[in-house]
Amino acid sequence: GKTIEIALVGNPNCGKTSIFNFASGSNEKVGNYSGVTVDIKKSTFSYKGYRFNLYDLPGTYSLSAYSPEEIYVREHIRLQMPDIVINVVDATNMERNLYLTTQLMHLDVKVVMALNMFDEFQQRGDQLDYRHLSKMLGIPIIPTVGSKGKGLTALFDKVISVFEDRAHDYRSVRVNFGQFLEDSIGKVDDCIKQNNDLSVEIPPRYLAIKLLEHDKEYIKLLKKAGFTEILDLAEKERDRIEDETREDAETVFTDARYGFIAGALRETYKENPVIRRKVT
Ligand code: GDP
Ligand code: MG
Ligand code: K
């Protein structure tokens, strides 16, 4: 049969290891990830005639270059090139969890979302039109309860169908950063594309955004490889953004991502009007 390489990606404590354990029949410890070393688990099992190679990656809130976990996850995606990323999302904490999703959307990888903690979400009585959200994100969404193994059959069926769907355009939906930022992204993106050897390894638009955000690791990588033209242009465009907005460029992009998420949730999410919870 065919082999599908799958990476579990999500915030800490969203249920990745629970899903991993249920799927693989293993007995890894669940609980807070607090190690200094980045250690990942791999499991291989058969499902409906496919061989699944499943990786349980460390929890991350973003894909910036600020922590070893974040660098590990994005390097795993860049170098291992999983066929499918399962983005595990805590349904009780959509806004924060979707931040990582907006980063995955630019990585040119096929994503299937496990809308986990769905039991807790339902107990709250909130409502989420996840089918609509799925269309807005361009990502299939399957509700799951990782700790009980619920929804995992539907999740892995979806993994197979997305894997087999050659026509599936996983680049169809992207965060639109608005004309001002898109102008800068476009220029850097074009410059990267002119260097073919670079754009095969890292999706050009994703790299353009990261360079504009002053991502230390990618800047180091490009410096080492001698791509000064790209770096100079990115710096010029970053200055333009910071002069105009009077903010740090990374903050500008972060705000734009949260703006996109807020817009998507405004259209799809309704809090239970009866129960008013205390925000902690
Ligand atoms: P990870 O950090 O993403 O690997 O998350 P874990 O799998 O370690 O889960 C964190 C905690 O959430 C554990 O106590 C799990 O038992 C619990 N958990 C995982 N999935 C669910 C779920 O769908 N519903 C509920 N109620 N708890 C869950
Ligand atoms: Mg874990
Ligand atoms: K954990």
Side-chain angles (χ1 to χ4, degrees):
K2 295 182 204 166
T3 299
I4 312 181
E5 302 280 338
I6 306 160
L8 290 166
V9 175
N11 289 7
N13 294 314
C14 64
K16 295 177 298 302
T17 302
S18 300
I19 290 174
F20 179 87
N21 285 349
F22 240 99
S24 61
S26 85
N27 221 337
E28 291 300 335
K29 196 166 146 267
V30 287
N32 284 319
Y33 178 88
S34 62
V36 184
T37 48
V38 173
D39 106 281
I40 71 155
K41 313 264 176 329
K42 181 191 171 188
S43 167
T44 298
F45 55 93
S46 298
Y47 183 77
K48 297 196 173 167
Y50 291 82
R51 187 185 145 103
F52 276 37
N53 283 338
L54 186 65
Y55 294 84
D56 184 14
L57 299 189
T60 56
Y61 295 107
S62 179
L63 293 178
S64 54
Y66 289 121
S67 72
E69 289 83 4
E70 296 187 12
I71 293 171
Y72 191 94
V73 169
R74 70 187 199 181
E75 286 298 278
H76 178 92
I77 295 170
R78 181 168 78 88
L79 301 171
Q80 303 289 316
M81 295 185 286
D83 298 302
I84 305 283
V85 165
I86 296 180
N87 178 200
V88 184
V89 161
D90 176 352
T92 68
N93 212 331
M94 290 302 286
E95 194 180 6
R96 195 178 64 184
N97 277 254
L98 287 178
Y99 189 76
L100 179 60
T101 309
T102 62
Q103 306 251 336
L104 292 170
M105 282 166 69
H106 290 108
L107 271 178
D108 290 357
V109 65
K110 290 177 171 180
V111 179
V112 173
M113 185 185 293
L115 189 61
N116 200 43
M117 307 278 177
F118 203 69
D119 52 342
E120 281 188 26
F121 169 80
Q122 284 184 313
Q123 276 163 25
R124 286 185 172 192
D126 289 357
Q127 282 178 10
L128 173 67
D129 185 351
Y130 64 83
R131 288 174 190 87
H132 186 192
L133 181 66
S134 165
K135 287 199 186 90
M136 296 179 79
L137 300 174
I139 296 173
I141 299 179
I142 307 292
T144 57
V145 182
S147 50
K148 295 196 175 121
K150 280 190 188 162
L152 297 192
T153 303
L155 181 67
F156 291 135
D157 288 350
K158 186 54 83 177
V159 164
I160 291 172
S161 74
V162 171
F163 173 77
E164 290 293 358
D165 183 2
R166 305 277 166 234
H168 178 88
D169 185 8
Y170 48 92
R171 274 168 263 208
S172 61
V173 183
R174 298 188 141 157
V175 178
N176 186 325
F177 287 95
Q179 196 54 54
F180 177 70
L181 294 178
E182 289 293 339
D183 281 348
S184 289
I185 296 169
K187 279 183 201 158
V188 180
D189 186 357
D190 283 343
C191 188
I192 293 167
K193 277 183 194 137
Q194 282 156 27
N195 297 275
N196 285 328
D197 44 336
L198 192 59
S199 55
V200 288
E201 260 204 52
I202 313 175
R205 182 181 162 85
Y206 167 79
L207 181 58
I209 294 165
K210 287 293 171 194
L211 292 177
L212 290 168
E213 289 184 292
H214 207 261
D215 186 289
K216 288 197 183 75
E217 290 298 314
Y218 288 129
I219 290 173
K220 225 182 352 190
L221 196 95
L222 264 68
K223 259 195 194 135
K224 232 160 92 187
F227 290 108
T228 41
E229 191 197 338
I230 300 171
L231 289 170
D232 290 348
L233 178 65
E235 199 176 311
K236 193 183 124 207
E237 292 301 319
R238 193 186 325 123
D239 286 345
R240 183 183 84 100
I241 293 167
E242 295 187 341
D243 286 347
E244 175 75 22
T245 61
R246 308 206 153 273
E247 291 222 62
D248 160 77
E250 197 185 355
T251 307
V252 177
F253 279 95
T254 300
D255 289 351
R257 288 192 190 96
Y258 275 116
F260 172 85
I261 293 165
L265 291 179
R266 214 177 294 127
E267 282 191 45
T268 56
Y269 201 102
K270 263 200 200 76
E271 267 190 37
N272 184 336
V274 179
I275 304 164
R276 287 267 162 250
R277 288 179 311 275
K278 230 166 62 189
V279 180
T280 50

